[in-house]
Amino acid sequence: MVGDRMLAEIKNKASHTMEDQLTGDFFGTIRYLPFEKGLLHVLSAVRFNDVLVQQEWLRELQKESGHTEINFWLKHEEGEIDLLLPLTNALVGIEIKYFSGISSEDGNDLEITSDTSRNQLARYARMLLDLREDNKPLFLVFLAPFQMMQAVEKSLEERNIIKQEVSLGYICWEDVLETLTAIDTTGYQPGESLILTDLIHLLKKKKLMRYRGFAKDLLQKEVSKEAFLFQKPAADTKSWHWPTKLLNGDVGYVCNN
C-alpha cells in the first residue's frame, strides 16, 4: 500500500483515529492514479437527491484529468474536514466515517438554522462557502458505511441546516468497493492495476463489503422434513466371552477386558 500511515504522520495526525487511518490509506493511495483512472469512478457513484445537481456533479467530474490536488484535514474555524478537492470549476469537501458518527449534534432545539447549527456537516457546508472562489459550485460529500450513511441522510432530511448554496451528496463504502471492482483496467499500467487491487483488498479487509445473502447453492440443497436420529455408536460385538459355569448372584465378580 502506498499511502498507509505515513500521510497521517505528515499531517500531524500522530494520534489519528481509525477514520484518519482509513482516509490516509485509501485516498493517500488513489491519488497516485490519474483522476480518470481512479477518483472519477469513485466520485461518479456519489448520489444527490436533486436530479439537476446530479447532472451538474457528473459534468464537473468529467472536466478533470491527470493528478488532481487533494488537501487532507484542512483546518478552519468551522472544523477540520477530511478532504478538500479544488476541481477545475467546483469546490468539493468530503467527510469520511468508519466507526464514529457525526459529531456536535444540535439536540432538540427547533430554532437551529444553517447559520447556527453545530452539526458537523452543517459546519463544513459553511466552511466551503467561506473558501469559495469565483462563485464556483460547492459540493459536500458524506462517505460512510451504508447503515451510518442512511441514518445521517434520514436525519438531515428532517432539518434545514445545510447552507442552500452547498449541494450535499452521499456515498457508502460498500458502493466504493463495488465501483472499484467493476473498473475495466484495460490500458492500465501494471502499477496502476496494482494500486486498484490494493484498494480493493483494503476495503475487504475492513469488512466494507455489501451483504449479498446466502450462498446461491444453499437454496438448491434438498430440504428434508425427517428428524435426525441420534444414538450412541454400537458396541463391539465381534467377540463375546461367556462364563463356563453358572454365576452365583450372591458372589461379586470382576470383569477383565
Side-chain angles (χ1 to χ4, degrees), residues 65-83:
S65 62
H67 293 277
T68 303
E69 177 184 354
I70 303 179
N71 297 303
F72 291 81
W73 303 297
L74 180 74
K75 295 183 184 296
H76 186 274
E77 63 181 9
E78 292 287 2
E80 184 179 278
I81 196 167
D82 290 319
L83 298 178

Side-chain angles (χ1 to χ4, degrees), residues 43 48 56-57 60-61 63-64 68-71 74 76 81 83-94 124-141 165-169:
L43 296 180
F48 294 87
E56 182 183 25
W57 168 252
E60 295 301 334
L61 295 181
K63 297 176 183 178
E64 303 301 312
T68 303
E69 177 184 354
I70 303 179
N71 297 303
L74 180 74
H76 186 274
I81 196 167
L83 298 178
L84 190 71
L85 284 67
L87 302 183
T88 301
N89 192 42
L91 183 62
V92 180
I94 304 178
Y124 292 163
R126 295 196 295 266
M127 176 194 298
L128 291 177
L129 194 57
D130 183 59
L131 298 173
R132 186 185 206 175
E133 295 179 355
D134 302 325
N135 207 35
K136 290 182 177 181
L138 302 174
F139 300 96
L140 178 59
V141 175
E165 299 89 341
V166 179
S167 299
L168 179 60

Side-chain angles (χ1 to χ4, degrees), residues 209-225:
M209 65 280 275
R210 181 171 278 110
Y211 174 66
R212 290 297 185 186
F214 297 107
K216 293 181 180 179
D217 62 342
L218 184 63
L219 299 179
Q220 299 172 357
K221 294 184 182 297
E222 183 179 354
V223 178
S224 174
K225 295 183 179 180

Side-chain angles (χ1 to χ4, degrees), residues 23-239:
T23 299
D25 285 350
F26 186 86
F27 289 95
T29 300
I30 202 171
R31 65 177 178 161
Y32 291 102
L33 288 173
F35 185 87
E36 63 274 17
K37 291 184 175 182
L39 273 177
L40 174 62
H41 297 275
V42 173
L43 296 180
S44 294
V46 175
R47 173 180 51 80
F48 294 87
N49 291 325
D50 187 297
V51 175
L52 295 180
V53 172
Q54 187 77 51
Q55 293 173 348
E56 182 183 25
W57 168 252
L58 295 176
R59 284 197 302 269
E60 295 301 334
L61 295 181
Q62 291 297 331
K63 297 176 183 178
E64 303 301 312
S65 62
H67 293 277
T68 303
E69 177 184 354
I70 303 179
N71 297 303
F72 291 81
W73 303 297
L74 180 74
K75 295 183 184 296
H76 186 274
E77 63 181 9
E78 292 287 2
E80 184 179 278
I81 196 167
D82 290 319
L83 298 178
L84 190 71
L85 284 67
L87 302 183
T88 301
N89 192 42
L91 183 62
V92 180
I94 304 178
E95 180 58 20
I96 299 165
K97 296 296 181 184
Y98 181 26
F99 283 132
S100 64
I102 292 293
S103 65
S104 305
E105 274 291 6
D106 299 314
N108 298 321
D109 191 343
L110 300 179
E111 301 300 323
I112 294 297
T113 67
S114 61
D115 291 318
T116 61
S117 174
R118 300 311 303 161
N119 175 279
Q120 195 173 15
L121 294 179
R123 289 187 284 112
Y124 292 163
R126 295 196 295 266
M127 176 194 298
L128 291 177
L129 194 57
D130 183 59
L131 298 173
R132 186 185 206 175
E133 295 179 355
D134 302 325
N135 207 35
K136 290 182 177 181
L138 302 174
F139 300 96
L140 178 59
V141 175
F142 182 63
L143 168 58
F146 175 75
Q147 289 188 338
M148 184 188 303
M149 179 206 75
Q150 192 178 47
V152 169
E153 181 177 8
K154 183 177 180 180
S155 171
L156 291 179
E157 283 177 353
E158 302 169 356
R159 295 177 289 171
N160 187 26
I161 60 174
I162 303 298
K163 297 295 289 185
Q164 194 172 22
E165 299 89 341
V166 179
S167 299
L168 179 60
Y170 301 91
I171 183 172
C172 64
W173 280 114
E174 292 85 344
D175 283 343
V176 172
L177 175 56
E178 292 183 1
T179 298
L180 293 179
T181 305
I183 293 177
D184 180 4
T185 57
T186 303
Y188 281 53
Q189 296 297 318
E192 295 172 336
S193 297
L194 183 59
I195 288 174
L196 284 181
T197 300
D198 280 352
L199 292 172
I200 290 170
H201 288 165
L202 169 68
L203 298 187
K204 288 182 177 180
K205 180 72 174 179
K206 298 291 186 182
K207 307 297 183 185
L208 292 169
M209 65 280 275
R210 181 171 278 110
Y211 174 66
R212 290 297 185 186
F214 297 107
K216 293 181 180 179
D217 62 342
L218 184 63
L219 299 179
Q220 299 172 357
K221 294 184 182 297
E222 183 179 354
V223 178
S224 174
K225 295 183 179 180
E226 296 180 1
F228 285 102
L229 179 62
F230 296 95
Q231 62 183 17
K232 295 181 179 180
D236 183 8
T237 58
K238 291 181 180 179
S239 60

Side-chain angles (χ1 to χ4, degrees), residues 6-20:
M6 181 176 67
L7 188 58
E9 296 291 343
I10 292 174
K11 296 295 182 179
N12 296 319
K13 304 287 284 186
S15 58
H16 56 275
T17 64
M18 284 185 285
E19 277 84 6
D20 294 333

